[in-house]
């Protein structure tokens, strides 16, 4: 066995470290990755959505879609919207679930004002109205959603929208 560092060029080691730093992901990608991980807690049978509210590069709150506290999860009892053959983006009132953005906003309270919301979908029109009234200044999204009216609400309110792949 050789000594620690034997057979390595110390300057090559530093070059590798610099190269790794250049491959570091930016903040938006970092927070979006966390939102995608939060989505893994979802109890919705149709879509797994996660949201993260960030202010000054600190997580204020997270949320994922699922049944209200104390209610049976759709994972356990089935999806009411599926049973009624309701398409995605329509008749939101028939869904028992609370959206990821709504749960994150509830957890954040007034701390959401001026923050950025990361979500792995487009916000629906109901969530868009809540985002506007919470004072969120920027929304970063990935994925898609069939109802794009929420995006128009956010644009009209002057909220900065960023789309990630």
């Amino acid at each position: 066995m050789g000594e620690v560092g034997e057979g390595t060029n110390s300057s090559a080691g530093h070059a590798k470290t610099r190269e790794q730093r250049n491959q570091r992901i930016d903040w938006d990608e970092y927070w979006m990755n966390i939102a995608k991980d939060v989505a893994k807690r979802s109890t919705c049978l149709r879509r797994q959505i996660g949201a993260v509210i960030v202010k000054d590069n600190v997580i204020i709150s997270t949320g994922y879609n699922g049944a209200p506290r104390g209610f049976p999860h759709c994972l356990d009892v089935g999806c009411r919207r599926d049973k009624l053959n309701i398409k995605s983006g329509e008749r939101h009132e028939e869904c028992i679930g609370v959206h990821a953005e709504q749960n994150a906003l509830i957890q954040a309270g007034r701390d959401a004002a001026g923050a950025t919301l990361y979500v792995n979908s487009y916000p629906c029109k109901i969530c868009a109205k809540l985002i506007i009234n919470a004072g969120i200044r920027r929304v970063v999204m990935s994925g898609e959603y069939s109802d794009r009216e929420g995006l128009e609400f956010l644009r009209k309110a002057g909220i900065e929208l960023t789309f990630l792949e």
Side-chain angles (χ1 to χ4, degrees):
M1 292 240 167
E3 296 292 319
V4 174
E6 185 179 307
T8 63
N9 180 330
S10 63
S11 65
H14 290 293
K16 185 176 180 184
T17 302
R18 281 189 208 106
E19 183 180 313
Q20 288 172 335
R21 282 189 210 141
N22 291 339
Q23 294 176 2
R24 190 173 178 202
I25 63 174
D26 66 23
W27 283 111
D28 284 345
E29 189 175 350
Y30 175 75
W31 300 122
M32 185 59 68
N33 286 340
I34 293 172
K36 289 175 181 176
D37 278 343
V38 170
K40 294 174 185 174
R41 291 283 306 151
S42 170
T43 60
C44 179
L45 294 171
R46 286 184 167 200
R47 304 184 76 210
Q48 287 65 55
I49 307 300
V52 178
I53 296 178
V54 176
K55 193 174 195 177
D56 300 323
N57 281 334
V58 175
I59 294 175
I60 302 298
S61 67
T62 64
Y64 54 87
N65 56 328
R69 288 187 181 151
F71 281 61
H73 296 291
C74 297
L75 285 173
D76 300 326
V77 297
C79 175
R80 175 176 169 75
R81 291 168 52 91
D82 279 348
K83 291 173 187 171
L84 296 173
N85 289 320
I86 299 171
K87 293 179 184 177
S88 179
E90 296 179 5
R91 297 180 55 206
H92 297 284
E93 72 280 2
E94 292 295 340
C95 178
I96 191 162
V98 179
H99 290 190
E101 303 96 322
Q102 295 167 348
N103 275 322
L105 289 167
I106 290 165
Q107 296 300 319
R110 293 185 184 268
D111 289 336
T116 300
L117 173 76
Y118 292 82
V119 61
N120 65 324
S121 180
Y122 298 169
C124 73
K125 57 188 146 224
I126 296 167
C127 289
K129 291 185 279 187
L130 295 172
I131 290 166
I132 293 164
N133 280 0
I136 295 287
R137 68 170 179 80
R138 181 172 177 244
V139 177
V140 181
M141 297 156 278
S142 69
E144 290 200 22
Y145 186 53
S146 59
D147 179 5
R148 294 177 174 249
E149 194 172 7
L151 296 177
E152 293 309 313
F153 286 7
L154 296 171
R155 283 186 183 107
K156 282 182 184 178
I159 294 175
E160 180 185 343
L161 303 179
T162 303
F163 300 89
L164 299 180
E165 294 288 323

